[in-house]
Amino acid sequence: MPFTWSGRATQTLSATALSALLLASAMKHFREPAFFYQVVPDFLCCDDSGARPNGPYAVMTRDEWVALSGLLEAGAAVGLLIPATRQPVAWGVTAMFTAFVAGHADALRRAYGPAGTPGQRKVHTARLPLQVPLILWAWSLRKPFRPAGTRCVPGAGQ
């Protein structure tokens, strides 16, 4: 029996691939947290003692923000694999990637500032635009798969 590639299979493969990417990123958050330090805006961070905030939104240290985002990515990776949770998780991942734009923009701003290095400029110049395809990828998974020609009619089948 030949295999026919369906829209459902495409969506499942796409969700699995994004899940794998999120899981790899989550693991990196815990193996190499310093890699993510520059994309956590200063105004969100208390100093390491947690005693002196850098801004009114500073509620956690940079390490805690990195760990929290790693946990969110790991949870999202699992949620995307479960068809029943895929839709709300895809909305959440879209929002998460969109929120990350602020951190990437701040890191890019600092990279081109007086303390920035050529390496930081290259990395952050590449990282910021990569958020766009990630946002669109997560956005594409937010609707449940429906075969072509079917409609969702409220109250149908009751």
Side-chain angles (χ1 to χ4, degrees), residues 94-116:
T94 301
M96 180 177 70
F97 285 154
T98 303
F100 288 172
V101 169
H104 288 289
D106 187 57
L108 184 63
R109 179 192 58 79
R110 284 183 278 126
Y112 279 92

Side-chain angles (χ1 to χ4, degrees), residues 63-89:
D63 282 327
E64 291 167 337
W65 280 113
V66 170
L68 176 64
S69 62
L71 288 172
L72 288 172
E73 288 181 357
V78 172
L80 286 174
L81 294 175
I82 303 167
T85 61
R86 185 172 298 148
Q87 182 180 6
V89 171

